[in-house]
Amino acid sequence: MRIDILCLFPDMFTSPFEQSIIKRAKESNLLNIVTHNIRDYTHDSHHTVDDYPYGGGPGMILKPEPIFELAETIQHGVDTDNMPIVLLTPQGKLLTQKIIRDLALQPHLILICGHYEGIDERVHEHLATDEISIGDYVLSGGELAAMVMVDAITRLIPGVLGSEESAKDDSHSNGLNGLLEYPQYTRPATYRSWSVPPILLSGNHEKIAQWRKRQSILRTATRRPEMLQQVILSCEEKSWISERSLNQN
Ligand code: 6GU
């Protein structure tokens, strides 16, 4: 997979992309990330990337020309038919694991990071195919959001994760049917008088699977009740939730 990132601060990506899973994916040629500085595609002596908003108001707006020119340079000689051009903006659609799964199927993506107060609307209208926000809060720029997307996409590229299993049971993946992940423990069995739930030491795999399912359901009901609307539960599983609300534990 190739990912081109258009931004004003390409140096922000250096260390995050040289660690851990992303580093490994790059080293095994499963991932090629190319960062570009929008400023390099300006033509005036001051390398101006932004300007005052028409109609007045506070802040500066990123100019369209260098962004279009840079994107068109990347697209030159490439089959761009279904290539997603994702604009990272707080006005975008909320990022979900479903969006990540769809993007991970693409051979080539372009990510555009906004900055300052905004981007000229013609980039939204005539260049971007998708607009994504990573959450309901405001970042100073799209670079951190682009890192979030690259990380989430990279771990879904086939061959990147050591064991094909490890992505399957994560919260928000398909493996747990839209439930949050259950609690996990490792040794020691007792730490500072806090003991691991005895069922996990029992060796009874059926009971353990049932305990984990119950924990996932109760956790989702408590922390993310809206997620449960997407999940089909048995009568018994529904009773776990109502019992728990009665006992308040
Ligand atoms: Cl994608 N960009 C900015 N600037 N702020 C954000 C965001 C993106 N997603 C959430 N907040």
Side-chain angles (χ1 to χ4, degrees), residues 122-139:
R122 287 162 290 193
V123 174
H124 300 252
E125 278 184 76
H126 304 295
L127 184 59
T129 61
D130 303 271
E131 297 183 28
I132 301 283
S133 160
I134 64 162
D136 290 335
Y137 40 81
V138 180
L139 303 169

Side-chain angles (χ1 to χ4, degrees), residues 1-246:
M1 169 180 260
R2 172 165 170 156
I3 304 178
D4 286 278
I5 302 176
L6 287 58
C7 65
L8 289 172
F9 300 100
D11 290 349
M12 284 179 74
F13 296 94
T14 313
S15 173
F17 288 174
E18 281 171 9
Q19 322 274 338
S20 183
I21 307 274
I22 298 177
K23 176 187 182 178
R24 261 183 23 215
K26 284 166 53 184
E27 283 172 354
S28 26
N29 288 321
L30 296 166
L31 177 64
N32 178 18
I33 307 173
V34 186
T35 53
H36 307 265
N37 194 334
I38 294 168
R39 200 173 294 279
D40 295 341
Y41 288 76
T42 56
H43 299 295
D44 62 309
S45 59
H46 292 100
H47 302 285
T48 314
V49 291
D50 57 359
D51 206 338
Y52 299 99
Y54 274 119
M60 300 291 275
I61 305 300
L62 288 182
K63 294 163 64 58
E65 312 98 301
I67 297 174
F68 273 89
E69 260 189 58
L70 173 46
E72 282 156 10
T73 305
I74 295 165
Q75 289 172 310
H76 188 78
V78 174
D79 174 18
T80 57
D81 271 2
N82 295 308
M83 189 196 298
I85 303 178
V86 179
L87 181 61
L88 281 317
T89 159
Q91 278 90 51
K93 187 170 155 182
L94 261 195
L95 184 61
T96 60
Q97 191 65 18
K98 161 99 176 77
I99 295 174
I100 294 293
R101 277 195 297 268
D102 291 343
L103 291 175
L105 299 173
Q106 298 287 338
H108 192 174
L109 304 175
I110 295 180
L111 305 182
I112 304 174
C113 306
H115 236 274
Y116 308 130
E117 304 298 317
I119 296 199
D120 187 282
E121 186 65 19
R122 287 162 290 193
V123 174
H124 300 252
E125 278 184 76
H126 304 295
L127 184 59
T129 61
D130 303 271
E131 297 183 28
I132 301 283
S133 160
I134 64 162
D136 290 335
Y137 40 81
V138 180
L139 303 169
S140 337
E143 283 86 354
L144 287 166
M147 289 176 211
V148 166
M149 291 197 64
V150 169
D151 185 284
I153 289 169
T154 301
R155 46 198 309 293
L156 297 188
I157 300 173
V160 165
L161 289 188
S163 145
E164 287 291 281
E165 283 296 289
S166 36
K168 217 177 68 198
D169 279 355
D170 285 353
S171 300
H172 306 291
S173 78
N174 281 330
L176 279 164
N177 304 313
L179 296 170
L180 296 179
E181 201 173 353
Y182 47 77
Q184 300 265 39
Y185 297 85
T186 187
R187 286 185 287 187
T190 301
Y191 175 63
R192 296 190 178 179
S193 86
W194 304 310
S195 291
V196 171
I199 184 84
L200 297 176
L201 312 179
S202 70
N204 184 333
H205 296 295
E206 201 178 313
K207 278 269 168 14
I208 291 171
Q210 195 194 31
W211 181 86
R212 285 178 165 168
K213 184 78 187 278
R214 185 181 146 98
Q215 292 298 317
S216 278
I217 290 170
L218 292 179
R219 200 168 249 214
T220 311
T222 309
R223 300 182 186 179
R224 299 289 305 276
E226 83 286 359
M227 281 172 65
L228 279 179
Q229 273 146 29
Q230 262 54 267
V231 181
I232 299 160
L233 298 177
S234 70
C235 291
E236 189 192 9
E237 289 165 349
K238 284 179 189 155
S239 75
W240 293 341
I241 298 172
S242 34
E243 278 166 30
R244 161 109 137 193
S245 340
L246 290 174

